[in-house]
């Protein structure tokens, strides 16, 4: 999925650029200069969103877990994370944090079925292993 998104993002931008040029070349009568600007801005926006979807990840390290969702990136130290689970009411995994809040982990999605369950188990093991001496 990551490779697909990183390949598709520039294609989306170039497709919008090509369409705006084509509509200018054929001199479509309802096509104006500001339409070129808006079409290319939309292409950049859609390309950026596709790029960010490809950048979604949950990367563990010795210090903690970096969670990169579509529009945000957060680092959580292991002692901040109480549990990880995959609730039926959510499309992706959820971290329970020690301040009483929760956060989504879009990198682990229900639609991945068995892989999602194994990743949740792996994440739980990492949480348990890295917080064992701190409780």
């Amino acid at each position: 999925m990551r490779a697909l998104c990183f390949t598709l993002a520039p294609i989306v931008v170039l497709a919008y650029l090509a369409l705006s040029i084509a509509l200018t070349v054929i001199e479509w009568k309802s096509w104006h200069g500001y339409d070129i600007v808006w079409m290319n801005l939309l292409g950049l926006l859609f390309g950026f969103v596709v790029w960010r979807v490809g950048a979604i990840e949950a990367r563990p390290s010795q210090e903690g877990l970096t969670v990169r969702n579509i529009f945000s990136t957060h680092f959580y130290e292991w002692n901040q994370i109480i549990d990880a689970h995959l609730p039926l009411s959510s499309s992706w995994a959820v971290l329970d944090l020690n301040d009483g809040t929760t956060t989504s982990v879009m990198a682990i999605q229900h639609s991945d079925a068995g892989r999602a369950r194994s990743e949740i188990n792996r994440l739980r093991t990492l949480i348990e292993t890295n917080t064992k001496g701190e409780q």
Side-chain angles (χ1 to χ4, degrees), residues 70-85:
I70 292 179
F71 296 112
S72 65
T73 301
H74 296 284
F75 175 78
Y76 301 100
E77 293 179 6
W78 290 117
N79 62 2
Q80 291 179 275
I81 305 170
I82 296 172
D83 192 22
H85 52 98

Side-chain angles (χ1 to χ4, degrees), residues 15-126:
Y16 274 81
L17 176 63
L19 183 58
S20 71
I21 291 170
L23 292 173
T24 302
V25 168
I26 66 168
E27 296 178 358
W28 189 33
K29 62 182 169 177
S30 61
W31 189 248
H32 305 290
Y34 59 84
D35 293 320
I36 296 168
V37 172
W38 280 111
M39 177 161 284
N40 285 291
L41 287 175
L42 280 175
L44 289 170
L45 175 67
F46 294 151
F48 173 73
V49 170
V50 170
W51 184 271
R52 287 298 297 179
V53 167
I56 290 172
E57 69 178 346
R59 183 176 303 274
S61 68
Q62 289 291 88
E63 295 78 33
L65 181 69
T66 301
V67 176
R68 183 180 300 144
N69 291 329
I70 292 179
F71 296 112
S72 65
T73 301
H74 296 284
F75 175 78
Y76 301 100
E77 293 179 6
W78 290 117
N79 62 2
Q80 291 179 275
I81 305 170
I82 296 172
D83 192 22
H85 52 98
L86 200 56
L88 292 175
S89 61
S90 179
S91 297
W92 38 75
V94 174
L95 296 178
D96 292 325
L97 304 175
N98 64 358
D99 65 358
T101 62
T102 61
T103 190
S104 298
V105 182
M106 297 177 82
I108 304 173
Q109 300 188 8
H110 257 292
S111 60
D112 290 337
R115 181 180 174 273
R117 284 189 294 280
S118 69
E119 288 299 313
I120 280 294
N121 290 335
R122 180 174 162 251
L123 187 53
R124 283 181 174 160
T125 301
L126 285 168

